[in-house]
Amino acid sequence: MAIERTFSILKPDATERNITGAINALIEQAGLRIVAQKRIRMTREQAETFYAVHKERPFFGELVDFMTSGPVVVQVLEGEGAIAKYRDVMGATDPSKAADGTIRKLHAKSIGENSVHGSDAAETAKIEIAQFFSGNEIVG
Ligand code: DGT
C-alpha cells in the first residue's frame, strides 16, 4: 500500500485533560509517524473554514464554539494507507459506538467532544494539511 499523509487534530477536550501524549502513543503504536505537529488556538474563521462542509448542520455553531474553546494540536501523520489507518485508530465519531482500543473509545467524552479529527479522503487530507502547514514545516 502507498505511503500517504493525513491531517489530524487533537481537539480541545484532549488538550484540556492533558492526554495528548497518550493519544500520540496510540498513533505511533499503530505505525503512523507524526511528521508535523504544532499547538495552536484556532480562530473562529479557521474553524468555520475547516468545517465549512457542515455549515448547514444543526450542530455547526456548537462545533465551532468547541473547536475554538481551547488549544488544539494540529498534526500531519504519515504511513502506509495513513488515511484509512488513522480513521480505524480513531474509531467511530460517537464514542459509544467506537471499537475497543480506539482513541475515541478510550478517551472521547461525547459525539461532539470526541478528542480527535482525521481526514476522510486523499483530496480532503491535502486541503486540510495546506490550511495549517507550509511545506517546510512537514519533515518526513
Ligand atoms: P471529524 O474527523 O472531526 O471530521 O469527525 P468524523 O469524520 O468522525 O465525523 P463527521 O464528519 O460526521 O462530523 C464532524 C464533527 O462534527 C465530529 O467530529 C463532531 C461533530 N459532530 C458530528 N455529529 C454531531 C452531532 O450530532 N452533535 C454534535 N454536537 N457534534 C457532532
Side-chain angles (χ1 to χ4, degrees), residues 87-99 102 104-105 108 114:
R87 304 243 349 145
D88 282 349
V89 175
M90 291 194 306
T93 309
D94 180 349
S96 70
K97 297 184 181 138
T102 61
R104 284 167 168 164
K105 178 71 172 198
N114 62 8

Side-chain angles (χ1 to χ4, degrees), residues 9-17 39-48 51 60-73 109-110 112-115:
I9 305 176
L10 311 187
K11 296 184 180 182
D13 68 285
T15 57
E16 204 271 329
R17 287 176 289 157
R39 183 174 172 108
I40 62 166
R41 184 75 180 235
M42 257 196 213
T43 63
R44 288 198 78 80
E45 192 184 13
Q46 277 177 315
E48 283 167 3
Y51 279 120
F60 182 69
E62 212 177 291
L63 179 57
V64 172
D65 286 348
F66 170 57
M67 292 302 289
T68 56
S69 68
V72 299
V73 176
K109 293 168 76 175
S110 66
E113 301 195 13
N114 62 8
S115 306

